[in-house]
């Protein structure tokens, strides 16, 4: 079964770019699915950095990508070939190269606070409302409060 990748990018206090998309390949582990999602987010981050640079808003530091899977982060940080990663597509390791050059940095984020979950899965109402508020989106009923 194909997983769904999701990401969103903030500039200041607002979300200005987001995506939710079914992955092109079937991941054989959650770590691989997270690396596929991180790869998609990294590609978008590179493009956004280029656009912002052309608008004279060059980013000096790394773009932080928050991932809620520690195995995916460990695989991305460790250049040693693992038996568990031998089935991963080579293109997934571009994230490792981008981290090495300093364009992006993968950081761990607890699943409870992973904003991208709102784009990728069905959530209990309380979690949906919590993440919706963190994104800065208000409900139609609470429009006057925003």
């Amino acid at each position: 079964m194909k997983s769904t990748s999701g990401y969103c990018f903030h500039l200041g206090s607002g979300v200005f770019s987001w995506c939710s998309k079914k992955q092109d390949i079937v991941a054989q582990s959650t770590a691989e699915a997270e690396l596929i999602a991180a790869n998609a987010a990294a590609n978008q981050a590179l493009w956004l950095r280029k656009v912002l640079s052309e608008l004279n808003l060059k980013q000096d530091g790394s773009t932080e990508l928050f991932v809620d899977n520690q195995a995916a982060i460990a695989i991305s940080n460790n250049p040693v070939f693992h038996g568990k990663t031998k089935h991963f597509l080579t293109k997934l390791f571009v994230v490792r190269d981008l981290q090495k050059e300093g364009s992006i940095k993968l950081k761990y984020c607890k699943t409870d606070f992973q904003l991208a979950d709102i784009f990728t899965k069905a959530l209990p109402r309380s979690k949906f409302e919590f993440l919706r508020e963190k994104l800065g989106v208000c409900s139609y009923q609470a429009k006057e409060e925003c």
Side-chain angles (χ1 to χ4, degrees), residues 19-84:
C19 178
S20 177
K21 184 180 177 211
K22 211 53 126 165
Q23 294 177 351
D24 294 332
I25 61 173
V26 177
Q28 295 181 17
S29 66
T30 55
E32 183 180 13
E34 289 289 340
L35 273 176
I36 293 168
N39 190 45
N43 287 333
Q44 181 72 0
L46 289 178
W47 182 78
L48 290 171
R49 287 173 67 100
K50 182 177 181 255
V51 169
L52 291 173
S53 178
E54 291 173 1
L55 296 171
N56 293 323
L57 296 170
K58 188 171 191 305
Q59 182 179 347
D60 295 326
S62 301
T63 300
E64 295 178 339
L65 299 180
F66 294 97
V67 179
D68 62 359
N69 185 292
Q70 291 179 335
I73 294 171
I75 290 166
S76 177
N77 287 333
N78 188 352
V80 176
F81 180 79
H82 296 278
K84 293 180 180 179

